[in-house]
C-alpha cells in the first residue's frame, strides 16, 4: 500500500473519489487530506459539487448524498484551508491564526442538530433528532467542531504530518506514547524504511 499519487496523474482531476484518503484518524484531518500532495502539486480531490456530497457520505457525516451548491463547495474548501492553516501553525508551535479560527468558528453552530417532537406508534410523544435543514452546512459544522476539539490544548499536541518525504498527509496520533511518525506504517513507513535500507546498501558498496 503506497500512499504516493502516481506521477502521470492528469491534472486537474475530473473527479476526486479514487484519490480520497482515510488515514487522518478524525474528520477534520481526513478533510484537510482532500487536498493532496500539498508540498508539490496540490492535487484537489473535492473537484465537483458531487465530490463534496459523496465525500461527506463516505466520511459518515451524512447518510445520503446531499445536493451541494457551488457556494457550499467554495465554503467547504475555505473551511478545509482554515483547518490546515491551523494544522501548519500548531506543528510550528504557534497558535491557530485568528483568520483560521474565524472560519472554523463560523461553521461550528450548524453542528448542533435540531430536535422534533413526534407521536410514537403507541400514541406517546417522543423527542428525536430532526433532519438538519441544510445537511451540507450541518456536515461542515461537524467537521468544524471536530477541528475546534482538535485544536484544544489536550489534543493539539497529537497533530502530525507524515514524516515521508513524498507524502503530506496530516494525521492524528492516537498511539499511547504519541510517537507515530507516518500516516501509515504499512505504506509510508515501509517505503521510508526501504529507502533508508537502500541508502545504507549504497554507502556500503561505495
Ligand atoms: Zn504518509
Amino acid at each position: 500500500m503506497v500512499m504516493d499519487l502516481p506521477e502521470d496523474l492528469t491534472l486537474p482531476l475530473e473527479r476526486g473519489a479514487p484519490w480520497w484518503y482515510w488515514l487522518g484518524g478524525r474528520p477534520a484531518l481526513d478533510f484537510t487530506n482532500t487536498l493532496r500532495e500539498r508540498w508539490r502539486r496540490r492535487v484537489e480531490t473535492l473537484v465537483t459539487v458531487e465530490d463534496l456530497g459523496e465525500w461527506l457520505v463516505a466520511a459518515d457525516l451524512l447518510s445520503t448524498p446531499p445536493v451541494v451548491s457551488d457556494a457550499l463547495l467554495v465554503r467547504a474548501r475555505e473551511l478545509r484551508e482554515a483547518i490546515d492553516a491551523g494544522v501548519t501553525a500548531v506543528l510550528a508551535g504557534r497558535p491557530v491564526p485568528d483568520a483560521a479560527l474565524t472560519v472554523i468558528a463560523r461553521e461550528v453552530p450548524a453542528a448542533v442538530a435540531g430536535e422534533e417532537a413526534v407521536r410514537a406508534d403507541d400514541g406517546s410523544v417522543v423527542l428525536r433528532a430532526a433532519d438538519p435543514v441544510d445537511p451540507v452546512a450541518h456536515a461542515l459544522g461537524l467537521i468544524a467542531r471536530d477541528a475546534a476539539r482538535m485544536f484544544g490544548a489536550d489534543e493539539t499536541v497529537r497533530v502530525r504530518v507524515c514524516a515521508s518525504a513524498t507524502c503530506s498527509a496530516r494525521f492524528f496520533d492516537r498511539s499511547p506514547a504519541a510517537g507515530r511518525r507516518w500516516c501509515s506504517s504499512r505504506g509510508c513507513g515501509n517505503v521510508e524504511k526501504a529507502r533508508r535500507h537502500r541508502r545504507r546498501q549504497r554507502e556500503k558498496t561505495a
Side-chain angles (χ1 to χ4, degrees):
M1 188 168 53
V2 175
M3 297 298 139
D4 294 351
L5 294 173
E7 272 304 317
D8 59 356
L9 214 50
T10 307
L11 299 173
L13 299 175
E14 277 177 36
R15 293 299 299 272
W19 309 107
W20 290 340
Y21 186 90
W22 303 99
L23 292 167
R26 60 191 304 159
L29 293 181
D30 282 333
F31 197 50
T32 63
N33 286 339
T34 60
L35 186 72
R36 298 199 48 187
E37 215 177 273
R38 284 177 179 272
W39 62 284
R40 189 167 60 135
R41 288 180 288 182
R42 299 181 66 81
V43 177
E44 177 60 80
T45 73
L46 295 180
V47 186
T48 65
V49 289
E50 290 81 12
D51 279 345
L52 176 58
E54 286 166 22
W55 191 91
L56 294 172
V57 173
D60 221 11
L61 297 168
L62 294 176
S63 47
T64 48
V67 177
V68 180
S69 64
D70 288 333
L72 273 165
L73 177 59
V74 170
R75 221 169 96 188
R77 288 187 189 142
E78 208 181 332
L79 171 64
R80 179 186 66 190
E81 295 316 301
I83 296 171
D84 203 63
V87 166
T88 310
V90 299
L91 286 172
R94 295 191 307 268
V96 174
D98 285 339
L101 178 56
T102 301
V103 173
I104 293 166
R106 183 184 72 194
E107 303 295 344
V108 169
V112 178
E115 288 182 316
E116 58 186 6
V118 293
R119 192 174 296 285
D121 291 341
D122 66 359
S124 66
V125 175
V126 287
L127 205 53
R128 65 176 187 197
D131 288 336
V133 181
D134 183 338
V136 180
H138 174 64
L140 295 182
L142 295 174
I143 295 169
R145 185 170 70 182
D146 183 54
R149 281 206 188 106
M150 176 176 79
F151 291 133
D154 297 347
E155 299 193 7
T156 197
V157 292
R158 289 177 176 267
V159 174
R160 305 271 181 273
V161 59
C162 179
S164 158
T166 52
C167 174
S168 62
R170 281 77 169 113
F171 69 92
F172 193 71
D173 181 0
R174 296 185 194 276
S175 68
R180 229 180 100 193
R181 298 187 55 213
W182 294 290
C183 67
S184 148
S185 54
R186 276 184 300 182
C188 286
N190 265 339
V191 171
E192 206 57 29
K193 272 173 220 150
R195 232 177 242 157
R196 250 181 284 158
H197 179 73
R198 280 196 304 272
R199 212 177 300 139
R200 275 198 302 272
Q201 294 301 108
R202 270 201 308 272
E203 280 161 12
K204 257 187 237 164
T205 53

